[in-house]
């Protein structure tokens, strides 16, 4: 089911606030998909999903390899019959304020603050499509 990004279903948004492990799919340089479990936060007002990770992780390197315009990616979560996918263009953000904001959002959703990591970056996804059933 497609979700209207300007007016998403409240149950869909609530599902994105619950604690769920998600997957992130990024394209490898050869075009094949790389799928890994991650924590994701979604800011529907800004239309941005965020994943925190290390700067040398394969997912971050895949996004960087796509070039300055970013990589087309998808994040997904599911529980029983409920599922949600966000698609969009991802870039890597390294600014201290962007990383701190993403860590705070992660801590709120997942009810735990990640350990400090000087190599932490944010994969920031500008969402262009939302699908699912909350």
């Amino acid at each position: 089911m497609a979700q209207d990004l300007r007016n998403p279903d409240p149950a869909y948004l609530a599902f994105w606030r619950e604690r769920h492990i998600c997957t992130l799919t990024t394209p490898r340089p050869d075009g094949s998909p790389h799928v890994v479990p991650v924590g994701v936060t979604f800011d529907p007002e800004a239309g941005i999903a965020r994943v925190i990770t290390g700067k040398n992780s394969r997912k971050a390197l895949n996004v960087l390899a796509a070039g300055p315009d970013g990589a087309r990616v998808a994040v997904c979560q599911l529980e029983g019959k409920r599922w949600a996918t966000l698609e969009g263009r991802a870039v890597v953000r390294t600014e201290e304020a962007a990383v701190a904001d993403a860590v705070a959002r992660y801590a709120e959703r997942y009810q735990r603050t990640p350990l400090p990591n000087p190599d932490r970056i944010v994969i920031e996804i500008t969402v262009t499509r939302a699908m699912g059933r909350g």
Side-chain angles (χ1 to χ4, degrees):
M1 292 174 53
Q3 291 286 326
D4 181 352
L5 285 170
R6 292 176 305 274
N7 188 24
D9 183 293
Y12 185 81
L13 294 179
F15 188 41
W16 276 109
R17 287 188 295 273
E18 295 173 10
R19 187 181 191 281
H20 294 285
I21 297 301
C22 305
T23 60
L24 168 66
T25 304
T26 59
R28 292 185 181 103
D30 69 2
S32 63
H34 177 257
V35 184
V36 293
V38 294
V40 176
T41 62
F42 178 41
D43 178 353
E45 291 79 24
I48 293 176
R50 294 173 179 88
V51 175
I52 56 174
T53 189
K55 69 180 181 182
N56 294 314
S57 68
R58 172 50 45 202
K59 56 191 161 286
L61 296 173
N62 286 344
V63 171
L64 288 169
D69 290 337
R72 292 189 50 106
V73 304
V75 290
C76 184
Q77 65 181 16
L78 66 105
E79 179 185 58
K81 293 182 179 184
R82 299 186 309 158
W83 63 278
T85 298
L86 302 171
E87 296 178 5
R89 181 115 4 224
V91 296
V92 168
R93 303 276 310 269
T94 60
E95 303 89 351
E96 189 175 324
V99 173
D101 177 59
V103 167
R105 291 171 186 274
Y106 177 96
E108 181 179 339
R109 181 176 188 195
Y110 291 96
Q111 292 116 36
R112 75 172 205 56
T113 301
L115 295 173
N117 178 353
D119 291 332
R120 182 170 287 129
I121 58 92
V122 179
I123 296 175
E124 187 175 272
I125 305 161
T126 301
V127 178
T128 56
R129 181 181 298 159
M131 299 172 289
R133 179 178 19 175

